């Protein structure tokens, strides 16, 4: 019995547990330190999701790509391109919200397909391909428009401002009115995507193939899996998710401009790594990435609540956490090798 | 026929062709491209500009080449590290004041400090990659994320200026010398590195470690140390680049100094015909790659492409070049030819 349990908690689950525990400790610490400033409110917790809905979806896609042993550093630029394209189509071309949304999703899929084809069929390193993709998408954003475009489309704004109130956890404000905590519709969409991808990775043939390809490409090939097809599908799906995440991001900002979402790719990768995804491939969990995103959000909330700290502390703290988790991963990997 | 094959199979053939094509486009588009004029005893012209601007890139590409060769990975922190090195050097030089007219310490001290900071960052990366066996991209991701934050911390979020004429010489011109100073720095770095690699067995060791670290260890090479050394050296190169960057604009802006430079440096290595998988490398190839990238940038500027739109063309060119160099593509072409014959 005992032995069985020990086997179950292997290094990878251990990493996930550490991430979750760390998040809980950080959040509890925040509750104690900033108690009088309302950190304890449920709404503050929900705001973590509201401001990071897009990142959650993108980190999910990134996790999937990382599991195959690849990487996609173009996501930040693709998000910017998505936002800009949306804004440009709706404001400058007068296209309706629904056709515009569908168009950007199609563009995302095409982008993912192009990158996936170069990576899986021409066997160019993912880093180089997506690096070029990153340049390309950022440049395209500038070609569409170098000015900032604010979105005023009514359908889109209605979607952006659609609040969903939770039936519990309301607080009474200073005027004595009961305020129910709420989330925007983007959060619900993000969580649906997360759960769907989780189920796909865990229970479908395709999902298991992704892990197999990432674990050992040669073995997967010998097992009879179509490695190239699996890889290209992952990049296509990731392209779709990136565009989708871009839409959610846009619902938050309601604007398109060239410098948008810079460094997003590194945030997504950092979230995945903090969540226990190995960059060598084969290991990863989308829920870990969710907690990675939440940890990043919590640090940002700390800094806003604290008030005097400057924003670059976010970067430094994330980097320290990243270092911590990466070194932990490496120590665990070494221990595993010794046990063999 | 045999002779042609010999030429085309030469390692630097493709990189050189790429550079030639970029320059050829210029000859057609802007005939004045190759003209060099003398103003105030200093050379001016597009060509001089390309060589001048590519100096930092060449220096970084040299370090990056060795990192790629020894570990099969890339150091994505070089841009951020050069920002840190630049920030620290100006901080030391000006005592932390936002705008300074006189040195607080001798100039040479600040240069040494910048180089030391760069090397230190490189050593941290090297420790993680070589000793802790972490994938290079991930290990350097840490400094990539933190670097600019640290640089801003040093500058206290401000842009620090150094308004001393001597300070501008490293990134500009030394009186009486017609060529810009960064060119000389780049040449010195390349030549010294080349000599060290060729005159000692170090170059061979690095290639051997890159091809198979375990086998190299078994024949008695200290793989870990050699890998560590390349990262430390890459950090040093980033430090040197940092001092040039700050001197060029006689200030340090932690957010923008050396921005996206790591990407250009990696591209330079790839364009130079080096495999990003590690192993055999060509220093000269990377230098040609760096010049190609800068030539491309300058060409596009000369063709009145805006700075924001530049990346699109860069990306297309890069993908074409890398695709042409990929073995799979060559295989496809071969198969096509075979089909035609049959």
């Amino acid at each position: 019995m005992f032995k069985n349990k020990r086997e179950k908690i292997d290094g990878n689950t251990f990493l996930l547990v550490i991430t979750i525990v760390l998040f809980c400790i950080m959040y509890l610490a925040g509750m104690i330190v900033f108690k009088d400033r309302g950190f304890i409110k449920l709404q503050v917790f929900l705001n973590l999701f509201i401001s990071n809905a897009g990142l959650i979806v993108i980190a999910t896609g990134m996790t999937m790509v990382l599991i195959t042993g690849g990487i996609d550093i173009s996501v930040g630029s693709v998000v910017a391109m998505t936002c800009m394209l949306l804004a440009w189509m709706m404001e400058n071309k007068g296209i309706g919200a629904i056709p515009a949304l569908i168009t950007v999703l199609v563009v995302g899929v095409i982008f993912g397909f192009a990158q996936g084809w170069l990576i899986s069929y021409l066997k160019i390193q993912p880093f180089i391909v997506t690096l070029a993709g990153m340049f390309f998408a950022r440049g395209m954003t500038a070609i569409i428009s170098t000015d900032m475009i604010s979105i005023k489309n009514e359908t889109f704004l209605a979607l952006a401002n659609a609040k969903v109130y939770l039936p519990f956890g309301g607080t009474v404000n200073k005027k004595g009115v009961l305020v129910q905590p709420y989330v925007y519709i983007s959060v619900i969409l993000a969580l649906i995507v997360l759960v769907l991808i989780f189920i796909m990775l865990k229970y479908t043939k395709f999902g298991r193939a992704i892990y197999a390809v990432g674990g050992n490409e040669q073995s997967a090939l010998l097992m009879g899996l179509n490695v190239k097809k699996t890889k290209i599908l992952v990049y296509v799906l990731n392209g779709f998710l990136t565009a989708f995440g871009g839409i959610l991001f846009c619902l938050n900002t309601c604007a398109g401009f060239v410098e948008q979402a810079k460094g997003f790719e590194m945030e997504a990768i950092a979230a995945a790594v903090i969540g226990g995804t190995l960059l060598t491939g084969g290991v990863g969990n989308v829920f870990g990435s969710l907690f990675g995103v939440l940890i990043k959000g919590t640090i940002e909330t700390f800094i806003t609540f604290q008030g005097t700290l400057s924003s670059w502390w976010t970067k430094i703290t994330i980097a320290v956490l990243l270092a911590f988790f990466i070194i932990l991963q490496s120590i665990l990997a070494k221990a595993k090798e010794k046990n063999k | 026929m045999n002779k042609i094959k010999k030429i085309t199979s030469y390692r630097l053939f493709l990189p050189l062709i790429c550079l030639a094509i970029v320059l050829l486009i210029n000859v057609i588009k802007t005939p004045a491209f190759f003209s060099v004029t003398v103003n105030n005893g200093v050379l001016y012209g597009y060509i001089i500009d390309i060589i001048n601007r590519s100096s930092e890139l060449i220096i970084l590409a040299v370090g990056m080449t060795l990192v790629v060769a020894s570990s099969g990975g890339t150091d994505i922190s070089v841009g951020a590290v050069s920002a840190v090195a630049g920030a620290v050097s100006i901080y030391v030089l000006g005592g932390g004041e936002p705008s300074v007219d006189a040195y607080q310490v001798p100039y040479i001290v600040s240069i040494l400090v910048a180089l030391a900071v760069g090397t230190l960052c490189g050593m941290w990366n090297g420790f993680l990659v070589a000793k802790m066996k972490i994938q290079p991209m991930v290990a350097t991701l840490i400094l990539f994320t933190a670097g600019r934050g640290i640089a801003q911390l040093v500058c206290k979020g401000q842009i620090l200026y150094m308004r001393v004429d001597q300070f501008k010489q490293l990134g500009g011109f030394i009186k009486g010398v017609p060529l810009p100073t960064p060119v000389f720095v780049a040449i010195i770095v390349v030549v010294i590195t080349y000599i060290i690699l060729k005159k000692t067995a170090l170059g061979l060791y690095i290639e051997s470690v890159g091809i198979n670290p375990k086998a190299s260890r078994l024949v008695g090479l200290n793989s870990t140390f050699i890998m560590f050394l390349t990262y430390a050296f890459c950090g040093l190169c980033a430090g040197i680049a940092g001092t040039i960057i700050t001197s060029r604009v006689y200030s340090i802006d932690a957010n923008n100094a050396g921005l996206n430079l790591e990407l250009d440096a990696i591209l330079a290595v790839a364009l130079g015909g080096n495999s990003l998988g590690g192993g055999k490398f060509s220093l000269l190839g990377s230098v040609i790659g760096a010049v190609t990238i800068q030539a491309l940038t300058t060409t596009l500027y000369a063709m009145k492409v805006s700075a924001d739109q530049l990346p699109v063309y860069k990306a297309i060119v890069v993908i074409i070049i890398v695709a042409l160099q990929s073995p799979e593509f060559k295989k496809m072409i071969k198969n096509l030819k075979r089909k035609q014959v049959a």
Side-chain angles (χ1 to χ4, degrees):
Chain A
M1 178 73 190
F2 186 67
K3 201 186 163 197
N4 209 355
K5 218 175 191 176
R6 220 163 133 195
E7 263 173 12
K8 254 187 181 167
I9 298 183
D10 57 357
N12 307 320
T13 336
F14 178 65
L15 281 173
L16 183 62
V17 170
I18 286 190
T19 311
I20 295 172
V21 168
L22 186 79
F23 170 70
C24 294
I25 291 174
M26 276 173 68
Y27 207 82
L28 279 175
M31 279 181 172
I32 294 162
V33 175
F34 302 116
K35 201 166 78 183
D36 45 339
R37 296 189 210 177
F39 200 92
I40 209 154
K41 276 186 199 158
L42 186 59
Q43 189 58 50
V44 174
F45 180 70
L46 293 178
N47 282 346
L48 283 185
F49 287 86
I50 291 174
S51 50
N52 291 309
L55 189 57
I56 290 174
V57 173
I58 286 164
T60 308
M62 182 67 79
T63 311
M64 213 169 56
V65 171
L66 291 177
I67 292 172
T68 64
I71 198 158
D72 185 352
I73 58 169
S74 70
V75 291
S77 302
V78 175
V79 166
M81 188 171 75
T82 306
C83 293
M84 182 59 97
L85 202 58
L86 268 178
W88 180 76
M89 278 196 290
M90 288 192 289
E91 295 309 314
N92 294 13
K93 292 285 145 189
I95 298 170
I98 304 295
L101 289 175
I102 293 171
T103 314
V104 292
L105 287 178
V106 171
V107 169
V109 167
I110 293 171
F111 203 86
F113 179 82
Q115 290 193 345
W117 187 78
L118 288 167
I119 291 165
S120 53
Y121 284 86
L122 282 192
K123 295 213 171 125
I124 308 174
Q125 288 96 332
F127 187 82
I128 292 294
V129 172
T130 54
L131 184 67
M134 171 181 170
F135 279 147
F136 185 82
R138 185 70 68 184
M140 274 320 256
T141 315
I143 285 182
I144 296 170
S145 165
T146 42
D147 302 323
M148 181 172 148
I149 307 176
S150 299
I151 297 176
K152 297 182 193 79
N153 184 300
E154 277 169 21
T155 325
F156 191 81
L157 287 185
L159 196 64
N161 293 322
K163 285 180 186 172
V164 179
Y165 288 94
L166 295 189
F168 54 86
T171 46
V172 181
N173 69 4
K174 279 173 197 157
K175 286 176 192 161
V177 185
L178 185 76
V179 183
Q180 291 290 359
Y182 62 89
V183 290
Y184 287 112
I185 210 147
S186 58
V187 174
I188 296 177
L189 289 173
L191 292 180
I192 289 175
V193 168
L194 184 79
V195 171
L196 282 181
I197 297 291
F198 176 76
I199 293 171
M200 186 205 81
L201 282 175
K202 191 123 199 178
Y203 298 108
T204 67
K205 215 172 155 187
F206 175 59
R208 300 323 290 172
I210 294 176
Y211 278 99
V213 168
N216 190 330
E217 216 167 286
Q218 285 297 323
S219 313
L221 196 67
L222 292 176
M223 250 161 63
L225 287 175
N226 192 337
V227 172
K228 283 181 181 171
K229 204 173 139 197
T230 310
K231 268 188 167 177
I232 198 168
L233 274 176
V234 165
Y235 281 96
V236 169
L237 188 55
N238 181 51
F240 176 80
L241 288 179
T242 309
F244 193 76
I247 292 174
L248 298 188
F249 188 82
C250 197
L251 283 174
N252 224 355
T253 59
C254 286
F257 58 97
V258 177
E259 297 294 300
Q260 206 162 28
K262 242 183 185 164
F264 224 52
E265 56 280 347
M266 291 307 162
E267 277 176 16
I269 295 171
V273 171
I274 290 174
T277 303
L278 292 189
L279 281 115
T280 36
V283 176
N285 187 321
V286 285
F287 275 106
S289 307
L290 170 69
F291 279 96
V293 173
L294 291 182
I295 285 179
K296 179 217 140 221
T298 311
I299 296 170
E300 276 173 351
T301 318
F302 274 1
I303 285 162
T304 342
F305 268 75
Q306 212 274 344
T308 55
L309 284 175
S310 39
S311 63
W312 56 78
W313 276 105
T314 316
K315 279 185 187 171
I316 296 179
T317 327
I318 294 262
V320 170
L321 278 180
L322 207 58
F324 171 73
F325 276 93
I326 288 169
I327 291 173
L328 201 68
Q329 276 189 6
S330 119
I331 290 170
L332 282 176
K334 266 188 189 165
K336 216 177 185 180
E337 235 166 65
K338 259 184 199 162
N339 279 344
K340 270 178 193 168
Chain B
M1 189 66 201
N2 238 343
K3 235 179 197 171
I4 294 174
K5 222 174 192 177
K6 214 174 186 181
I7 294 172
T8 51
S9 62
Y10 177 53
R11 255 196 101 123
L12 297 179
F13 175 71
L14 263 178
L16 278 173
I17 287 290
C18 293
L19 182 58
I21 291 172
V22 172
L23 292 179
L24 206 67
I25 293 169
N26 277 308
V27 176
I28 300 162
K29 278 267 168 192
T30 29
F33 197 81
F34 287 97
S35 73
V36 175
T37 53
V38 182
N39 274 2
N40 297 331
V42 171
L43 294 174
Y44 275 101
Y46 277 123
I47 286 295
I48 303 293
D49 194 46
I50 290 174
I51 300 171
N52 181 12
R53 293 278 159 191
S54 59
S55 306
E56 295 104 305
L57 203 52
I58 290 175
I59 295 167
L60 286 179
V62 167
M64 190 70 80
T65 311
L66 299 187
V67 160
V68 169
S70 78
S71 64
T74 48
D75 182 347
I76 58 169
S77 72
V78 286
V81 169
S82 48
V84 176
V88 173
S89 85
I90 288 203
Y91 180 84
V92 168
L93 208 50
E97 295 297 318
S99 181
V100 190
D101 299 320
Y103 294 155
Q104 305 290 323
V105 292
Y107 183 50
I108 186 77
V109 173
S110 84
I111 296 281
L112 289 178
V113 166
L115 301 191
V117 168
T119 314
L120 214 65
C121 292
M123 282 161 79
W124 161 255
N125 286 335
F127 167 74
L128 289 180
V129 174
K131 192 77 197 160
M132 302 302 290
K133 307 257 181 294
I134 297 165
Q135 302 96 305
M137 220 211 103
V138 189
T140 52
L141 180 67
I142 297 172
L143 268 182
F144 177 90
T145 324
R148 290 192 188 281
I150 295 171
Q152 263 167 336
L153 214 58
V154 172
C155 302
K156 302 197 183 73
Q158 290 168 310
I159 297 177
L160 301 183
Y161 287 94
M162 173 53 63
R163 303 181 196 281
V164 179
D165 278 338
Q166 193 211 349
F167 187 75
K168 299 174 192 168
Q169 285 182 356
L170 186 64
F173 294 89
I174 294 175
K175 266 217 168 85
V177 183
L179 274 176
T181 326
V183 179
F184 295 108
V185 180
I187 291 173
I188 292 169
V189 169
V190 172
V191 168
I192 290 181
T193 316
Y194 191 81
I195 289 173
I196 291 176
L197 291 178
K198 286 292 156 181
K199 287 291 158 193
T200 67
L202 200 60
L204 202 64
Y205 289 173
I206 289 172
E207 286 185 349
S208 135
V209 168
I211 292 166
N212 192 335
K214 270 191 188 150
S216 312
R217 203 176 58 79
L218 291 178
V219 296
L221 290 178
N222 191 343
S223 300
T224 315
F225 184 67
I226 288 172
M227 221 185 264
F228 175 79
L229 216 57
T230 59
Y231 276 87
F233 180 71
C234 190
L236 176 68
C237 289
I240 298 173
T243 57
I244 295 179
I245 292 167
T246 47
S247 171
R248 252 187 224 288
V249 290
Y250 52 93
S251 66
I252 179 74
D253 174 2
N255 278 324
N256 293 316
L259 197 63
N260 291 341
L261 218 53
E262 58 278 346
L263 305 179
D264 277 351
I266 296 166
L267 287 181
V269 174
L271 283 184
N274 295 304
S275 153
L276 287 178
K280 282 192 172 295
F281 67 92
S282 153
L283 214 53
L284 216 57
S286 298
V287 173
I288 295 170
V291 177
T292 311
I293 287 177
Q294 193 54 48
L296 187 67
T297 313
T298 311
T299 307
L300 290 171
Y301 279 140
M303 284 156 78
K304 307 256 178 330
V305 174
S306 91
D308 286 334
Q309 302 169 350
L310 195 73
V312 172
Y313 305 97
K314 240 185 200 173
I316 293 171
V317 173
V318 165
I319 280 296
I320 292 174
I321 293 172
V322 179
L324 284 180
Q325 288 183 0
S326 88
E328 288 294 310
F329 183 77
K330 282 176 192 159
K331 236 189 259 169
M332 274 182 195
I333 299 285
K334 241 182 210 168
N335 284 345
L336 266 181
K337 269 186 191 163
R338 211 174 287 154
K339 261 181 204 163
Q340 273 174 359
V341 171

